[in-house]
Amino acid sequence: MAAWRRDVLPLVAMITVEFTNVGLNTIFKAATLSGMSVYAFIVYSYVVATLVLLPLALLFSRDTRALPPFTFSLFCKILGLGVIGVAAQVLSYKGIDYGSPTLASAIGNLTPAFTFILAVLFRLEKLALRSSISQAKLIGTLVSISGAFVVVLYKGPAVISTPSSPSLHLPQSSPQRSWIIGGTLLASEYLLLAIWYIVQTKIIKLYPSEPLVVLLYNVCAMFMSIPVCLYFDPNMSSWRLRPDIGLAAIVYSGFFGSGFSTVVHTWGLRIKGPVYISIFRPLSIIIAATMGFIFLGDNLYLGSVIGAVIISVGFYAVMWGKAKELRAEEEKYPLGSSLKAPLIREAQ
């Protein structure tokens, strides 16, 4: 039973999250193509997520006596997490609006590379250039970034084309310029996501209650997103809810995006660390390409395929280096806690 909770449950949870996240990106793209405002979508998603998480937080966090005191410093950290989250959401959905869910999934593999760079900059990760482990992580990071440039700058011919006539399919992908803008926005979003992972890991170590932390994060993000999104889209007619695919996307996002996925990621960060969460990123490329082809009528372009392969090679080079590092730590401290060591060291 303990092995099932330690190994099987996180595996199933992370795969499920990848499916739900790609599903969210796909239904969001369909909703924006039908005229839904990106900014209204972000605010309403946070509202729905807060309403969903409130009873869950009360149900699963009834015994707060075992938790450390909730301090003003901790609240400020959650507030900062909300700022990062809102900025990442705006960049993410605008990026998908310009590009496609497949583009988002391909560039998403930059997350571990960005996390490694940030960890080195903040002295949370040691970089010994003579070590094969550090070399693997450094080369993998550079390869991943190179692959992202390929995805963003080279669209290429369509590898898989969809028929142009079916009524269920929505308009085809954006021109090259929109593709580059979308890729740049998504790369910026995944940089913020790497920061979000680091800050969230620190917070959950200080206050190990996933439902409460995620609820407070969503409440902060909701109140911060309202003035920001109203500033970018002051047209109130864009905020009117209608019983169409836009409303379905908002409800889906509230339940499975800002709600379910955030709780599972926060739980996974505590028990496995950011590296384990990142391992499942390449799976999203296959899911996104399939969903985009079936539901959106998206073509799969050669640049996305080549770039995704390059990013994945770099991704697994970083993972190989980290696995070697963890094995060395286990041998050095067989009774220690480094089995759960994330991409950034326990010194965090």
Side-chain angles (χ1 to χ4, degrees):
M1 188 66 178
W4 183 84
R5 286 176 60 86
R6 187 184 66 247
D7 299 322
V8 179
L9 184 59
L11 174 69
V12 174
M14 290 306 120
I15 293 175
T16 304
V17 164
E18 289 304 321
F19 272 95
T20 57
N21 284 346
V22 173
L24 170 59
N25 291 344
T26 304
I27 193 173
F28 165 79
K29 180 68 176 182
T32 54
L33 288 172
S34 68
M36 186 189 66
S37 167
V38 174
Y39 302 104
F41 172 83
I42 292 170
V43 172
Y44 287 137
S45 295
Y46 277 127
V47 172
V48 173
T50 301
L51 294 175
V52 170
L53 289 166
L54 182 59
L56 293 177
L58 295 175
L59 180 64
F60 292 103
S61 302
R62 287 174 293 181
D63 187 13
T64 57
R65 291 170 296 179
L67 294 171
F70 191 90
T71 63
F72 180 72
S73 173
L74 180 61
F75 174 74
C76 289
K77 288 182 173 65
I78 295 175
L79 200 63
L81 194 69
V83 173
I84 298 168
V86 171
Q89 287 277 68
V90 172
L91 291 171
S92 173
Y93 289 123
K94 286 300 292 182
I96 296 170
D97 192 27
Y98 277 106
S100 72
T102 307
L103 177 65
S105 297
I107 295 180
N109 288 315
L110 282 174
T111 304
F114 284 148
T115 308
F116 174 67
I117 292 172
L118 290 169
V120 171
L121 291 176
F122 287 101
R123 301 178 182 273
L124 298 172
E125 184 84 17
K126 292 181 179 178
L127 184 62
L129 294 178
R130 293 186 179 182
S131 166
S132 60
I133 294 174
S134 291
Q135 289 171 0
K137 290 190 288 186
L138 181 60
I139 293 171
T141 298
L142 296 175
V143 169
S144 292
I145 294 172
S146 300
F149 275 112
V150 172
V151 173
V152 172
L153 299 177
Y154 175 64
K155 193 173 184 179
V159 177
I160 301 176
S161 299
T162 56
S164 57
S165 57
S167 58
L168 291 177
H169 285 185
L170 296 165
Q172 295 295 313
S173 300
S174 306
Q176 177 69 21
R177 183 172 177 276
S178 295
W179 190 263
I180 293 174
I181 294 173
T184 303
L185 292 173
L186 288 165
S188 302
E189 183 255 332
Y190 285 114
L191 174 59
L192 287 179
L193 185 62
I195 299 172
W196 192 94
Y197 280 158
I198 292 173
V199 176
Q200 181 76 314
T201 303
K202 286 177 177 262
I203 290 173
I204 209 64
K205 284 180 180 294
L206 294 172
Y207 200 81
S209 176
E210 289 87 352
L212 274 177
V213 169
V214 174
L215 172 64
L216 291 172
Y217 158 73
N218 271 278
V219 170
C220 292
M222 178 183 68
F223 283 110
M224 283 186 285
S225 67
I226 292 172
V228 172
C229 292
L230 280 173
Y231 174 80
F232 284 109
D233 187 2
N235 183 9
M236 297 311 297
S237 64
S238 302
W239 295 73
R240 190 178 300 120
L241 292 175
R242 301 174 181 84
D244 56 11
I245 191 171
L247 181 60
I250 289 168
V251 174
Y252 184 101
S253 175
F255 272 89
F256 296 106
S258 301
F260 171 76
S261 294
T262 307
V263 171
V264 172
H265 272 153
T266 304
W267 170 73
L269 287 169
R270 179 171 63 83
I271 67 170
K272 291 288 188 179
V275 169
Y276 189 85
I277 305 301
S278 303
I279 287 174
F280 297 89
R281 284 288 177 183
L283 179 64
S284 66
I285 302 173
I286 302 170
I287 302 169
T290 304
M291 285 189 175
F293 179 81
I294 295 173
F295 297 110
L296 297 178
D298 277 347
N299 293 337
L300 179 61
Y301 292 96
L302 181 62
S304 294
V305 175
I306 295 173
V309 170
I310 295 173
I311 292 174
S312 297
V313 169
F315 172 90
Y316 283 112
V318 176
M319 295 301 102
W320 178 86
K322 195 60 193 177
K324 293 272 288 183
E325 185 177 64
L326 291 177
R327 201 171 301 120
E329 289 179 353
E330 290 172 24
E331 292 173 358
K332 188 175 181 180
Y333 305 106
L335 298 177
S337 59
S338 61
L339 288 170
K340 294 182 181 179
L343 184 60
I344 48 180
R345 293 182 178 277
E346 292 292 343
Q348 67 184 329

